[in-house]
Amino acid sequence: MAAHRSPPALGSATIATIAREVGVSAATVSKVLNGRSDVAAGTRARVEASLERHRYRRRARRPTGPGQIDLVFHEFGSDWALEIIRGVETVAAAEQVNLVLSQLGGARRPPPSWLERVIARRPLGIVLVMCNLTEPQRQQLRRQAVPVVVVDTDSASAASVPTVGSNNWNGGLIATRHLLELGHRRIAIISGPPDVWCARARTAGFRGAHEEFAVPVDPDLVRTGNFHLDAGYQQGMELLAAPNRPTAVFAGSDLQAMGVLRAARQLGLDVPADLSVVGYDNLPLSAWSGPALTTVNQPLRDMAGAATKMLFDLVRGVALPTSRIDLVAELVVRESTGPPRRP
Amino acid sequence: MAAHRSPPALGSATIATIAREVGVSAATVSKVLNGRSDVAAGTRARVEASLERHRYRRRARRPTGPGQIDLVFHEFGSDWALEIIRGVETVAAAEQVNLVLSQLGGARRPPPSWLERVIARRPLGIVLVMCNLTEPQRQQLRRQAVPVVVVDTDSASAASVPTVGSNNWNGGLIATRHLLELGHRRIAIISGPPDVWCARARTAGFRGAHEEFAVPVDPDLVRTGNFHLDAGYQQGMELLAAPNRPTAVFAGSDLQAMGVLRAARQLGLDVPADLSVVGYDNLPLSAWSGPALTTVNQPLRDMAGAATKMLFDLVRGVALPTSRIDLVAELVVRESTGPPRRP
């Protein structure tokens, strides 16, 4: 009986091995491998268990000829997405590999239909942005020898997936420290959605800088947004119209910062004389806003490029020295910050 | 002899027909069809002539399964490119077809290597932006039954290629008419590069509005740029620092308009009290600049969507009612324009 035989070396199993062990046809094993839905649930479970036991993998391929990689966004958000597309495209073009672009309409996990379509094409690899896979999806792709990397703008990915990110906590820290060093003591933060990790990390950095300077944080000044212009504007209007308004705002993203600039203009506040504003991301446009934004450079293009290089290493079977790289976030001081007015 | 036989119906020729007629192997005809370089020039010319004589076409396919379309930019320029990507992606996703994205590093014609790679993959169709094909490239793709459409931001495409554009002349006219109606008489234009047709068309519209109002155009106030921020800033600084400066600038693009806003700020000019500024494109950010830009809405996302729908009609063999559609450019009045100061 199969169970009594000593198992073959891990990873050396073929479809025939699996079919024999489970007692189904090779065609059935193929269907399971290809994510097809026309296999009975019980059979599928037995085949999957056998595939995992043997660590079944399709043979990896070299990126020759018109290969493709997939770049998957949870959604396209402004300039921000374009910076990442540019970073990935540059590396893919140098490898003479095509770039297949898609977005999940805001979802954080690709739907089952997505995986079926991907497996039918079998790209060389996949770059994910602001989204991730379920463990079964990851297993499926592993068996197909389709490596996955994550451009993690979110500080949220499981360590098991090779990831390039940037240090959001540090970014929040240096942005806030800059304002504290200028003499600000009432500093607001408008961070991203509370369920997004990078937003939490930046807020934690904001608190860290306050601790460093022994300045208490007023809970009224800690706000959240959606990283877009409208949230910066709305929170900015609330914060700046209040009687005890802050003298500085760390806006959590360049787009939110532009929303705050708009609120300040509408209320007749001069930036930076009446209000200092710090953004995050250093989008190309941030140098051109009125006034030019002081911001934290999140090296999106470099992050995307580094993740794509990682992906090609995986495609070639090169072992990665580490499964996570964080690039450095740096402060870029422009015109939107200055010392507070003397009271 | 072949030449004495009556020719088969146009478009019904097979590779075997062509090979017989020219007196070469079917493999040689295939090589020519696939754009391979290992065929003698004389042989290639005879095969190509025969293919054209017979109007040889591969059979068209329906977009089933994981088909792909290609989206090719001459380069990715800011938010502008992302609007087009969004328009194409929405239609492709609805068709369950993948989007392969590439850019030509600024070139206006794809290199020969590009065509080889495309033919090897044989996408359902191709959307071109700010670039076009040579006639031989077009023939090659026609034979492969790979249709091509152009998103024409440039008003420059040959009528023979199905195209979606917008009326740039009209856009230049309504932008300038708005300024003349406000009472401006010294109006500058910063258009795009002189060899780009849409820039010429917008300038012609600018002149048309002046004629309508019987206001002469000062040649010193007619400038060109590159559609990017830096050109708007440099030309803006020159125009606004001059003794007889204009009271309004039609900036030719939103990015150039933001550059002009920056120059105005630096020179201490208030917009719109001292200077009116009109952009072009209506990028998402233009509503959020300081002050919010009056601009001409170029419906980039809709243009890209309409072109992609056209492409899927061609893929399905649906005849197009017209080979060129121009969408309407509309004026969006915001805060950056107003009447000139009384002298």
Side-chain angles (χ1 to χ4, degrees):
Chain A
M1 267 160 57
H4 290 178
R5 273 193 261 142
S6 69
L10 288 182
S12 70
T14 63
I15 289 182
T17 324
I18 306 292
R20 215 162 35 233
E21 177 174 303
V22 181
V24 295
S25 70
T28 302
V29 176
S30 272
K31 281 182 184 174
V32 172
L33 275 172
N34 292 325
R36 292 259 299 273
S37 46
D38 50 347
V39 180
T43 309
R44 172 187 302 280
R46 283 186 296 133
V47 171
E48 297 229 320
S50 172
L51 287 166
E52 273 310 288
R53 201 156 49 237
H54 288 281
R55 302 231 198 297
Y56 175 86
R57 300 285 180 271
R58 278 179 83 158
R59 206 169 303 146
R61 293 157 306 154
R62 310 202 154 264
T64 52
Q68 304 190 328
I69 60 170
D70 272 48
L71 172 59
V72 183
F73 283 84
H74 87 299
E75 66 181 355
F76 300 136
S78 81
D79 260 10
W80 191 93
L82 198 62
E83 285 297 292
I84 291 177
I85 292 172
R86 282 173 163 152
V88 175
E89 198 271 345
T90 303
V91 176
E95 295 272 0
Q96 298 205 296
V97 159
N98 292 300
L99 177 60
V100 176
L101 183 71
S102 55
Q103 54 119 1
L104 305 176
R108 297 284 175 183
R109 307 271 175 196
S113 62
W114 174 86
L115 193 66
E116 254 176 69
R117 282 167 61 195
V118 165
I119 288 179
R121 279 188 297 118
R122 222 176 153 230
L124 293 168
I126 300 172
V127 180
L128 300 173
V129 185
M130 287 287 269
C131 56
N132 217 324
L133 305 176
T134 62
E135 188 48 41
Q137 288 173 331
R138 230 173 278 171
Q139 273 184 14
Q140 283 270 19
L141 289 172
R142 224 169 11 227
R143 283 184 207 128
Q144 300 285 342
V146 176
V148 176
V149 299
V150 171
V151 179
D152 181 24
T153 55
D154 194 11
S155 299
S157 301
S160 62
V161 183
T163 299
V164 179
S166 76
N167 190 327
N168 284 290
W169 181 83
N170 194 252
L173 180 81
I174 59 178
T176 313
R177 193 185 271 165
H178 169 63
L179 294 169
L180 288 160
E181 281 169 351
L182 285 167
H184 294 277
R185 291 299 176 262
R186 277 190 67 68
I187 306 172
I189 180 171
I190 308 170
S191 197
D195 62 333
V196 171
W197 280 98
C198 65
R200 293 202 206 178
R202 290 174 201 174
T203 307
F206 169 84
R207 291 187 192 279
H210 278 79
E211 280 163 27
E212 191 184 5
F213 280 72
V215 172
V217 172
D218 180 346
D220 266 8
L221 299 186
V222 179
R223 307 292 178 106
T224 57
N226 59 8
F227 284 141
H228 289 290
L229 286 148
D230 55 337
Y233 174 70
Q234 281 156 23
Q235 293 287 7
M237 286 301 282
E238 271 190 38
L239 285 164
L240 301 178
N244 190 14
R245 65 174 170 79
T247 62
V249 178
F250 170 37
S253 73
D254 286 346
L255 295 177
Q256 287 189 166
M258 287 181 207
V260 173
L261 291 183
R262 180 151 197 78
R265 173 191 324 275
Q266 199 162 318
L267 296 169
L269 297 174
D270 183 79
V271 175
D274 299 316
L275 181 75
S276 285
V277 179
V278 181
Y280 204 104
D281 286 336
N282 195 24
L283 297 181
L285 272 170
S286 65
W288 293 90
S289 69
L293 270 183
T294 295
T295 188
V296 177
N297 180 50
Q298 176 168 220
L300 293 166
R301 207 183 292 195
D302 293 345
M303 285 159 65
T308 311
K309 281 184 189 146
M310 237 180 194
L311 187 68
F312 280 107
D313 278 349
L314 291 169
V315 168
R316 295 200 170 85
V318 176
L320 298 178
T322 169
S323 75
R324 177 164 184 118
I325 301 171
D326 271 344
L327 302 189
V328 173
E330 286 175 297
L331 188 72
V332 182
V333 178
R334 296 201 184 98
E335 302 164 356
S336 65
T337 48
R341 273 194 207 285
R342 293 277 145 258
Chain B
M1 267 158 62
H4 291 178
R5 274 192 261 141
S6 70
L10 288 181
S12 70
T14 63
I15 288 181
T17 323
I18 305 291
R20 216 163 34 234
E21 178 175 301
V22 181
V24 295
S25 69
T28 301
V29 176
S30 273
K31 280 181 184 175
V32 172
L33 276 171
N34 292 326
R36 292 259 300 273
S37 46
D38 51 348
V39 180
T43 310
R44 171 187 303 279
R46 284 185 297 134
V47 171
E48 298 228 320
S50 172
L51 288 166
E52 274 310 288
R53 201 157 47 237
H54 288 279
R55 302 231 199 294
Y56 174 86
R57 300 286 180 272
R58 277 179 83 155
R59 208 169 300 146
R61 293 156 305 154
R62 312 207 150 261
T64 51
Q68 305 191 328
I69 61 170
D70 273 47
L71 173 58
V72 183
F73 283 84
H74 86 300
E75 66 181 353
F76 300 138
S78 81
D79 260 8
W80 192 93
L82 198 63
E83 285 298 291
I84 290 178
I85 291 172
R86 282 172 164 152
V88 175
E89 197 272 344
T90 303
V91 176
E95 295 271 0
Q96 298 206 295
V97 158
N98 292 301
L99 177 59
V100 177
L101 183 72
S102 54
Q103 54 116 4
L104 305 176
R108 298 284 174 183
R109 308 271 176 197
S113 62
W114 174 85
L115 192 68
E116 255 176 69
R117 282 167 59 193
V118 166
I119 289 178
R121 279 189 295 119
R122 223 174 153 230
L124 293 167
I126 300 172
V127 180
L128 300 174
V129 184
M130 287 288 269
C131 55
N132 216 323
L133 305 176
T134 62
E135 188 48 42
Q137 288 174 330
R138 231 175 275 169
Q139 275 185 14
Q140 283 271 19
L141 290 172
R142 225 169 10 229
R143 284 184 207 129
Q144 301 284 344
V146 176
V148 176
V149 299
V150 171
V151 179
D152 182 24
T153 55
D154 194 11
S155 298
S157 300
S160 61
V161 184
T163 299
V164 179
S166 77
N167 190 326
N168 284 290
W169 181 83
N170 194 251
L173 182 80
I174 60 179
T176 314
R177 194 186 268 164
H178 169 64
L179 293 168
L180 288 159
E181 280 169 353
L182 285 168
H184 293 277
R185 291 301 176 261
R186 278 190 65 69
I187 306 172
I189 180 172
I190 308 170
S191 196
D195 61 332
V196 171
W197 281 96
C198 66
R200 292 200 208 179
R202 289 175 201 172
T203 306
F206 168 85
R207 291 186 192 280
H210 278 78
E211 279 164 26
E212 191 185 3
F213 279 72
V215 171
V217 172
D218 180 346
D220 266 8
L221 300 186
V222 179
R223 306 292 178 107
T224 57
N226 58 8
F227 285 142
H228 289 290
L229 287 148
D230 54 338
Y233 173 71
Q234 280 155 22
Q235 293 287 6
M237 286 300 282
E238 270 189 38
L239 285 164
L240 301 177
N244 189 14
R245 64 175 172 79
T247 62
V249 177
F250 169 37
S253 73
D254 287 347
L255 295 179
Q256 286 190 166
M258 288 182 205
V260 173
L261 290 184
R262 178 151 197 78
R265 172 189 320 274
Q266 199 163 319
L267 295 169
L269 297 173
D270 183 78
V271 176
D274 300 316
L275 180 75
S276 285
V277 179
V278 181
Y280 203 105
D281 288 334
N282 195 24
L283 297 181
L285 272 170
S286 65
W288 294 89
S289 69
L293 269 184
T294 295
T295 188
V296 177
N297 181 48
Q298 177 167 222
L300 294 167
R301 210 185 291 196
D302 293 345
M303 286 160 65
T308 312
K309 281 183 188 146
M310 239 182 194
L311 187 69
F312 280 107
D313 278 350
L314 291 170
V315 169
R316 293 198 172 85
V318 176
L320 298 177
T322 169
S323 75
R324 175 164 187 120
I325 301 171
D326 271 344
L327 302 188
V328 173
E330 286 176 296
L331 188 71
V332 181
V333 178
R334 297 202 184 95
E335 304 164 353
S336 64
T337 48
R341 275 193 205 285
R342 292 279 147 254

